[in-house]
Short mmCIF file of all heavy atoms in Angstrom, two decimals:
data_model
loop_
_atom_site.label_atom_id
_atom_site.label_comp_id
_atom_site.label_asym_id
_atom_site.label_seq_id
_atom_site.Cartn_x
_atom_site.Cartn_y
_atom_site.Cartn_z
N ILE A 380 107.52 71.58 160.83
CA ILE A 380 107.93 72.10 162.14
C ILE A 380 109.39 71.79 162.40
O ILE A 380 109.92 70.78 161.94
CB ILE A 380 107.06 71.54 163.29
CG1 ILE A 380 107.09 70.02 163.31
CG2 ILE A 380 105.65 72.05 163.20
CD1 ILE A 380 106.39 69.42 164.50
N GLY A 381 110.05 72.68 163.14
CA GLY A 381 111.44 72.44 163.53
C GLY A 381 111.45 71.72 164.88
O GLY A 381 110.45 71.13 165.30
N ASP A 382 112.57 71.78 165.55
CA ASP A 382 112.64 71.17 166.89
C ASP A 382 111.70 71.92 167.82
O ASP A 382 111.72 73.15 167.89
CB ASP A 382 114.07 71.27 167.44
CG ASP A 382 115.01 70.37 166.64
OD1 ASP A 382 114.66 69.20 166.42
OD2 ASP A 382 116.08 70.85 166.22
N ILE A 383 110.86 71.16 168.53
CA ILE A 383 109.97 71.79 169.51
C ILE A 383 110.75 72.00 170.80
O ILE A 383 111.23 71.06 171.40
CB ILE A 383 108.74 70.91 169.78
CG1 ILE A 383 107.90 70.75 168.50
CG2 ILE A 383 107.89 71.50 170.88
CD1 ILE A 383 106.65 69.91 168.67
N LYS A 384 110.85 73.26 171.17
CA LYS A 384 111.52 73.57 172.44
C LYS A 384 110.47 74.22 173.35
O LYS A 384 109.40 74.60 172.89
CB LYS A 384 112.68 74.55 172.21
CG LYS A 384 113.74 74.02 171.26
CD LYS A 384 114.84 75.04 171.08
CE LYS A 384 115.95 74.51 170.18
NZ LYS A 384 115.55 74.35 168.78
N LEU A 385 110.79 74.32 174.62
CA LEU A 385 109.88 75.06 175.48
C LEU A 385 109.84 76.49 174.95
O LEU A 385 110.88 77.12 174.78
CB LEU A 385 110.38 75.05 176.93
CG LEU A 385 110.14 73.73 177.67
CD1 LEU A 385 110.74 73.79 179.06
CD2 LEU A 385 108.65 73.43 177.76
N PRO A 386 108.65 76.99 174.63
CA PRO A 386 108.58 78.26 173.89
C PRO A 386 109.08 79.45 174.69
O PRO A 386 108.43 79.91 175.61
CB PRO A 386 107.09 78.39 173.57
CG PRO A 386 106.39 77.42 174.45
CD PRO A 386 107.36 76.40 174.89
N GLY A 387 110.26 79.93 174.34
CA GLY A 387 110.78 81.14 174.96
C GLY A 387 110.44 82.33 174.08
O GLY A 387 110.38 83.45 174.51
N GLU A 388 110.21 82.03 172.81
CA GLU A 388 109.79 83.09 171.90
C GLU A 388 108.89 82.49 170.83
O GLU A 388 108.93 81.30 170.56
CB GLU A 388 111.01 83.75 171.25
CG GLU A 388 111.89 82.80 170.46
CD GLU A 388 113.04 83.53 169.80
OE1 GLU A 388 113.97 83.94 170.53
OE2 GLU A 388 112.99 83.69 168.58
N VAL A 389 108.07 83.34 170.26
CA VAL A 389 107.14 82.90 169.23
C VAL A 389 107.80 83.09 167.88
O VAL A 389 108.49 84.08 167.66
CB VAL A 389 105.84 83.73 169.32
CG1 VAL A 389 104.94 83.46 168.14
CG2 VAL A 389 105.12 83.40 170.62
N PRO A 390 107.63 82.13 166.94
CA PRO A 390 108.25 82.31 165.61
C PRO A 390 107.77 83.59 164.94
O PRO A 390 106.64 84.00 165.10
CB PRO A 390 107.79 81.07 164.85
CG PRO A 390 106.65 80.50 165.63
CD PRO A 390 106.87 80.90 167.04
N LYS A 391 108.68 84.20 164.18
CA LYS A 391 108.34 85.47 163.52
C LYS A 391 107.45 85.26 162.30
O LYS A 391 106.69 86.12 161.92
CB LYS A 391 109.64 86.17 163.07
CG LYS A 391 110.63 86.45 164.19
CD LYS A 391 110.16 87.58 165.07
CE LYS A 391 111.21 88.01 166.06
NZ LYS A 391 111.51 87.02 167.09
N GLN A 392 107.55 84.08 161.69
CA GLN A 392 106.85 83.82 160.42
C GLN A 392 105.34 83.95 160.60
O GLN A 392 104.75 83.35 161.48
CB GLN A 392 107.22 82.42 159.92
CG GLN A 392 106.64 82.06 158.57
CD GLN A 392 105.34 81.27 158.70
OE1 GLN A 392 105.14 80.59 159.67
NE2 GLN A 392 104.49 81.38 157.71
N VAL A 393 104.72 84.80 159.77
CA VAL A 393 103.28 85.03 159.90
C VAL A 393 102.53 84.53 158.66
O VAL A 393 101.48 83.95 158.76
CB VAL A 393 103.00 86.53 160.11
CG1 VAL A 393 101.50 86.77 160.23
CG2 VAL A 393 103.71 87.03 161.36
N LYS A 394 103.10 84.73 157.49
CA LYS A 394 102.38 84.38 156.26
C LYS A 394 102.35 82.88 156.01
O LYS A 394 103.28 82.17 156.34
CB LYS A 394 103.05 85.07 155.06
CG LYS A 394 102.82 86.56 155.01
CD LYS A 394 103.39 87.14 153.73
CE LYS A 394 103.13 88.64 153.67
NZ LYS A 394 103.73 89.23 152.46
N VAL A 395 101.23 82.43 155.40
CA VAL A 395 101.16 81.05 154.94
C VAL A 395 102.05 80.94 153.71
O VAL A 395 102.10 81.84 152.87
CB VAL A 395 99.69 80.69 154.57
CG1 VAL A 395 99.62 79.32 153.93
CG2 VAL A 395 98.82 80.76 155.80
N LYS A 396 102.78 79.82 153.60
CA LYS A 396 103.72 79.67 152.49
C LYS A 396 103.09 78.88 151.35
O LYS A 396 102.21 78.06 151.56
CB LYS A 396 104.99 78.96 152.99
CG LYS A 396 105.65 79.73 154.12
CD LYS A 396 106.93 79.07 154.58
CE LYS A 396 107.51 79.89 155.72
NZ LYS A 396 108.93 80.10 155.64
N LYS A 397 103.59 79.13 150.14
CA LYS A 397 103.07 78.42 148.98
C LYS A 397 103.67 77.03 148.88
O LYS A 397 104.85 76.84 149.18
CB LYS A 397 103.36 79.22 147.71
CG LYS A 397 102.57 80.53 147.66
CD LYS A 397 102.90 81.33 146.43
CE LYS A 397 102.11 82.64 146.42
NZ LYS A 397 102.51 83.51 145.32
N LEU A 398 102.85 76.08 148.46
CA LEU A 398 103.30 74.69 148.38
C LEU A 398 104.51 74.52 147.50
O LEU A 398 105.38 73.69 147.76
CB LEU A 398 102.15 73.81 147.87
CG LEU A 398 101.11 73.43 148.93
CD1 LEU A 398 99.87 72.89 148.25
CD2 LEU A 398 101.67 72.40 149.89
N LYS A 399 104.60 75.31 146.42
CA LYS A 399 105.72 75.13 145.48
C LYS A 399 107.06 75.46 146.12
O LYS A 399 108.11 75.08 145.63
CB LYS A 399 105.50 75.99 144.22
CG LYS A 399 105.52 77.48 144.49
CD LYS A 399 105.29 78.26 143.20
CE LYS A 399 105.35 79.76 143.48
NZ LYS A 399 105.09 80.56 142.27
N ASN A 400 107.01 76.19 147.26
CA ASN A 400 108.25 76.55 147.95
C ASN A 400 108.78 75.44 148.86
O ASN A 400 109.84 75.56 149.44
CB ASN A 400 108.05 77.82 148.80
CG ASN A 400 107.77 79.03 147.93
OD1 ASN A 400 108.10 79.01 146.74
ND2 ASN A 400 107.13 80.05 148.49
N LEU A 401 107.97 74.39 149.01
CA LEU A 401 108.39 73.29 149.88
C LEU A 401 109.15 72.27 149.04
O LEU A 401 108.59 71.48 148.32
CB LEU A 401 107.18 72.63 150.54
CG LEU A 401 107.51 71.50 151.51
CD1 LEU A 401 108.16 72.05 152.76
CD2 LEU A 401 106.27 70.73 151.89
N LYS A 402 110.47 72.29 149.13
CA LYS A 402 111.28 71.38 148.31
C LYS A 402 111.78 70.20 149.13
O LYS A 402 111.78 69.07 148.69
CB LYS A 402 112.49 72.14 147.73
CG LYS A 402 112.11 73.27 146.79
CD LYS A 402 111.63 72.74 145.44
CE LYS A 402 111.50 73.85 144.43
NZ LYS A 402 110.48 74.84 144.71
N THR A 403 112.23 70.47 150.34
CA THR A 403 112.83 69.41 151.16
C THR A 403 112.39 69.58 152.60
O THR A 403 111.74 70.57 152.96
CB THR A 403 114.37 69.50 151.13
OG1 THR A 403 114.76 70.69 151.82
CG2 THR A 403 114.92 69.52 149.72
N LEU A 404 112.77 68.62 153.41
CA LEU A 404 112.48 68.73 154.85
C LEU A 404 113.30 69.83 155.51
O LEU A 404 113.07 70.16 156.66
CB LEU A 404 112.76 67.39 155.54
CG LEU A 404 111.56 66.45 155.68
CD1 LEU A 404 111.96 65.20 156.43
CD2 LEU A 404 110.39 67.11 156.39
N ASP A 405 114.27 70.39 154.78
CA ASP A 405 115.07 71.47 155.34
C ASP A 405 114.37 72.82 155.17
O ASP A 405 114.87 73.84 155.63
CB ASP A 405 116.45 71.54 154.65
CG ASP A 405 117.24 70.26 154.90
OD1 ASP A 405 117.08 69.71 156.01
OD2 ASP A 405 117.98 69.82 154.01
N SER A 406 113.22 72.80 154.47
CA SER A 406 112.50 74.05 154.29
C SER A 406 112.16 74.66 155.64
O SER A 406 112.06 73.96 156.65
CB SER A 406 111.20 73.80 153.52
OG SER A 406 111.48 73.22 152.27
N LYS A 407 111.95 75.97 155.65
CA LYS A 407 111.69 76.66 156.92
C LYS A 407 110.37 76.19 157.53
O LYS A 407 109.45 75.85 156.81
CB LYS A 407 111.65 78.17 156.67
CG LYS A 407 113.01 78.76 156.37
CD LYS A 407 112.90 80.26 156.20
CE LYS A 407 114.28 80.87 155.89
NZ LYS A 407 114.19 82.31 155.67
N PRO A 408 110.29 76.20 158.88
CA PRO A 408 109.02 75.84 159.52
C PRO A 408 107.89 76.75 159.05
O PRO A 408 108.10 77.91 158.72
CB PRO A 408 109.31 76.07 161.01
CG PRO A 408 110.79 75.91 161.14
CD PRO A 408 111.35 76.45 159.86
#
Side-chain angles (χ1 to χ4, degrees):
I380 57 173
D382 292 312
I383 297 180
K384 301 180 177 69
L385 283 177
E388 59 178 72
V389 171
K391 302 287 188 293
Q392 184 264 333
V393 179
K394 288 186 178 177
V395 173
K396 302 183 181 224
K397 292 178 181 174
L398 280 165
K399 65 180 181 182
N400 294 339
L401 182 70
K402 297 286 191 294
T403 68
L404 266 182
D405 297 326
S406 302
K407 288 182 180 178

